[in-house]
Amino acid sequence: MLPAFTLALVIGAFASTAPAQAQSAVDEGRNLAFDRGKGNCLTCHVIKGGTLPGSIGPELRDIKSKYPKREDLVAILNDETQRNPLTVMPPFGRNRILTEKEINAVVDFLQTL
């Protein structure tokens, strides 16, 4: 009986940390998107909750309906020139402005908009 109880506690502990980790990634993504020295998304985009946005890029809203496939957003942040050679979107991944983990956190955040 004790091993089954212990296993249940361990599974419960992991299950309860998943939502917290997801929220943590969203918060990290928001911080990166709003950070003028890192993601710097506000230089070009209007984002709800951001201050002093730019108007070069489209407003970032309804992202999940516009880009239902997560990998599309990852590709855009990594190097949009692969999809659109004429873009002014910085290649955050290719130029190592953001790490893969940071790009994924920004995508987590964008999917909440």
Side-chain angles (χ1 to χ4, degrees), residues 3 22 32 75:
L32 287 164

Side-chain angles (χ1 to χ4, degrees), residues 57-92:
E59 181 175 351
L60 299 181
R61 62 183 168 86
D62 301 322
I63 297 299
K64 207 160 189 172
S65 65
K66 291 177 186 171
Y67 299 99
K69 293 168 52 179
R70 177 184 181 80
E71 53 271 9
D72 289 342
L73 284 173
V74 170
I76 290 169
L77 289 171
N78 189 52
D79 185 2
E80 177 62 359
T81 64
Q82 295 294 312
R83 295 165 22 117
N84 176 6
L86 301 177
T87 188
V88 295
M89 180 82 172
F92 290 99

